[in-house]
Amino acid sequence: MKRILTLLIITMTALNLSAQTTKTVVAYFSASGVTAAAAKELAKEKNADLYAIEPAQKYTAADLDWRNKQSRSSVEMADKASRPAIAGTVANMADYDTVFVGFPIWWYVAPTIVNTFLEAHDLAGKRIVPFFTSGGSGAGKTLDYLKPSAPKATFEPPKNLTHANESSIRTWVESL
């Protein structure tokens, strides 16, 4: 009887621990490498998987020239319905409970390719934790534009990681 009780306790403990385990992915879009660096540090601190959101057609320097109203990024950002094609999706998104989504701020919001990424996955019931890098602006209306792309997910407030380091990222992750 004592042996059966011990096995039952071990089994229940194992089931409880597996039920408490959450799996996290850090998905990011980076045009210049700044967001990629923050995402890599975040994935390390969170012990999370890392996924780069890649455009199907790579952005060139000319595409990213925000001063040129005819550049690809300017045209995409002028049309909030724009959904630039992505090169792939997270094959095992169903395995994740939490999705950190990183991006640079373009025109005070996330680039529309981030909406493409969100819409390409079933994120119902998942926790979305946005983070961003920026040359000078804050998150602006980022959440207003991202939430409709994953309406059944729960969004946390976006976090600016432009000047973040290992210590500040660890502190942020521990506060979540």
Side-chain angles (χ1 to χ4, degrees), residues 71-160:
S71 73
R72 180 175 158 201
S73 60
S74 295
V75 170
E76 289 172 0
M77 295 307 291
D79 177 6
K80 295 303 178 200
S82 170
R83 296 296 183 265
I86 54 178
T89 59
V90 177
N92 56 337
M93 185 60 87
D95 295 347
Y96 298 105
D97 302 298
T98 302
V99 182
F100 283 81
V101 179
F103 45 85
I105 292 293
W106 289 2
W107 290 262
Y108 304 99
V109 295
T112 55
I113 194 168
V114 176
N115 296 86
T116 305
F117 171 79
L118 295 173
E119 292 165 6
H121 297 88
D122 179 3
L123 300 171
K126 297 195 185 303
R127 179 180 182 209
I128 309 295
V129 185
F131 65 95
F132 66 93
T133 58
S134 173
S137 68
K141 295 186 178 257
T142 295
L143 281 183
D144 293 343
Y145 288 106
L146 292 182
K147 283 182 176 182
S149 293
K152 294 182 179 177
T154 301
F155 281 81
E156 297 291 335
K159 177 71 171 172
N160 187 341

Side-chain angles (χ1 to χ4, degrees), residues 26-65:
V26 175
Y28 68 93
F29 168 69
S30 186
S32 66
V34 175
T35 305
K40 289 172 185 172
E41 185 61 37
L42 175 58
K44 183 178 98 180
E45 287 298 324
K46 192 68 179 147
N47 193 27
D49 294 335
L50 191 63
Y51 180 82
I53 302 168
E54 298 284 346
Q57 178 186 350
K58 301 280 186 206
Y59 288 93
T60 67
D63 291 336
L64 298 171
D65 184 359

Side-chain angles (χ1 to χ4, degrees), residues 41-42 44-46 159 161 164-176:
E41 185 61 37
L42 175 58
K44 183 178 98 180
E45 287 298 324
K46 192 68 179 147
K159 177 71 171 172
L161 295 185
N165 57 34
E166 182 180 326
S167 176
S168 63
I169 289 174
R170 184 178 312 114
T171 300
W172 175 53
V173 165
E174 289 171 355
S175 76
L176 294 172

